[in-house]
Amino acid sequence: MTVPVPLLTQSPYQHYVYSYPHKTSYRPLPVKSVHDVWSKEDQNSLFLYIHIPFCEMRCGFCNLFTTVTQDNDFINNYIKAVQRQAHRVQESIDNPTFARFALGGGTPTQLPTKALAQILEIAATTMGAPLQTIPVSVEVSPDTATPEKLDLLFDYGTDRISIGVQSFIDSEVLATQRRQTAEVVQDVLCRIREIEFPTLNIDLIYGLPGQTIDSWLQSIHTALQFQPEELYLYPLYVRPLTGLGMTNQAWDDHRLDCYRAGRDLLLDQGYEQVSMRMFRKIDMNSRSGPVYCCQVDGMIGLGCGARSYTQALHYSYDYAVNAKEIKHILARYIDSTDQDFDIVNYGFELNREEQQRRFILLSLLSPEGLDMGGYCDRFHTDALTDFPKLQHFLTLKLLQQHHHHLHLTELGLERSDAIGPSLFSDNVNTLMNTYKIK
């Protein structure tokens, strides 16, 4: 029997938790219809996500479901498949109301301009998402964010551009197997600011090979010159089958020192810390409209790499990291019949306990914290009674209680990637540990 390592003595970098359960816990399911899955769900405030699995390069740290391709026929066939899927889903779910839309990947702006317009039209017309009035976020890369594509995104109502810069130091970028230069990145950032998107988010990574605390802070200072409304500071994770994961490159783990230095700098510059990764300008205003709540509202995902979820079921297509396996999965998606898009057969069913865990996890890792009254309203029981580990976190000063809310402390924020995985169920851990990465 393996004895668990106490949370405060283990590395704070265990696993990035952006959803629960993790996609590597998904397995084949008994066939259900999309209509039946959604028929009893509240559809008044949903998240629409479209996945574009194409990039101009494969970054050395990336384990996302994406492929490097310039084959226009393949891209066009993928767009047609997304269009067919959207029609079937819209008919099955019966006019859902969307509160948010995101276009991610991969790199959506890797698409030719005409294809990018087609995807936006699928969201706006086929799915009926009111892009001009709800928050709309699109991921871009420095080499693909052309003036024509940025203008198109702006015209369709995009109010948030997220750009993966990772570092403004060319040697650090090269170590991640990216080809961009700081000069190109800064030109694109100037272009984005000129178009006046309401929100610019810049992603940076700390813990890169050859990176020092000084060079890390230099990248943040450079990013701040463009006055981004948001900054995401990501710790480097070296994962199996990624470019960095298959090298023998020496790696000095000083991520925690970088995190603290970057956090202190941004707090000093007038940003508020929203989560372990996200920092936001304090005076930032968001677009009004229907409110999406990740703990209770669902998501409809279109595209081969997208996941969808209701309160009791998360589903998607198969997942891979290896380029050959990704191409096979994409080919099967493109060859799907219209009837194939009517069914769900791969994912994870959440019983009551898993739904409770998901509610707690997503709440603690969000700025709102865990509303114990909201938890009680949903599950008719007490969170601290159901999960005594929360009381342990309070004792360790990882959490603090204010009235009926639990929030991460400063220590808890920097340990988010250990706190999250510690709340996974034994079943999810077993499924993740036995998943064969391909």
Side-chain angles (χ1 to χ4, degrees), residues 160-330:
R160 181 180 183 270
I161 291 291
S162 180
I163 183 166
V165 173
Q166 321 316 349
S167 172
F168 285 92
I169 311 297
D170 287 348
S171 60
E172 293 176 4
V173 173
L174 187 61
T176 70
Q177 302 167 10
R178 291 170 71 103
R179 296 187 297 271
Q180 73 191 32
T181 65
E183 181 179 3
V184 168
V185 172
Q186 294 186 58
D187 286 345
V188 171
L189 289 171
C190 288
R191 190 181 307 148
I192 292 170
R193 293 278 69 166
E194 288 170 0
I195 297 176
E196 297 184 349
F197 289 96
T199 300
L200 166 63
N201 172 71
I202 298 177
D203 289 345
L204 298 173
I205 292 182
Y206 56 91
L208 295 172
Q211 187 181 60
T212 65
I213 293 178
D214 286 344
S215 68
W216 165 237
L217 293 178
Q218 181 181 336
S219 281
I220 297 177
H221 278 295
T222 304
L224 288 173
Q225 293 175 15
F226 299 93
Q227 301 181 33
E229 285 71 27
E230 296 175 3
L231 276 158
Y232 270 75
L233 309 185
Y234 286 96
L236 177 68
Y237 277 93
V238 179
R239 301 178 176 97
L241 300 187
T242 62
L244 288 176
M246 292 186 286
T247 69
N248 294 318
Q249 193 167 8
W251 183 44
D252 178 22
D253 188 3
H254 57 282
R255 288 173 292 181
L256 188 55
D257 290 336
C258 287
Y259 162 81
R260 289 171 175 169
R263 174 201 63 198
D264 292 348
L265 172 58
L266 290 180
L267 293 178
D268 184 61
Q269 292 295 314
Y271 286 77
E272 62 178 340
Q273 185 168 12
V274 177
S275 68
M276 174 185 169
R277 289 163 172 75
M278 182 183 176
F279 294 80
R280 178 176 59 196
K281 278 189 176 179
I282 293 176
D283 60 351
M284 181 180 160
N285 295 316
S286 60
R287 181 179 288 187
S288 61
V291 176
Y292 171 79
C293 177
C294 64
Q295 292 90 338
V296 298
D297 293 319
M299 182 167 81
I300 295 174
L302 301 176
C304 191
R307 77 174 78 207
S308 300
Y309 52 76
T310 67
Q311 290 192 24
L313 178 68
H314 292 201
Y315 63 93
S316 70
Y317 293 89
D318 200 1
Y319 166 73
V321 178
N322 176 271
K324 185 177 179 180
E325 294 290 343
I326 290 173
K327 280 289 185 70
H328 286 161
I329 296 170
L330 283 170

Side-chain angles (χ1 to χ4, degrees), residues 118-137:
Q118 289 174 318
I119 287 291
L120 292 166
E121 198 60 30
I122 289 170
T125 302
T126 307
M127 297 304 295
L131 304 188
Q132 300 294 335
T133 59
I134 63 174
V136 175
S137 178

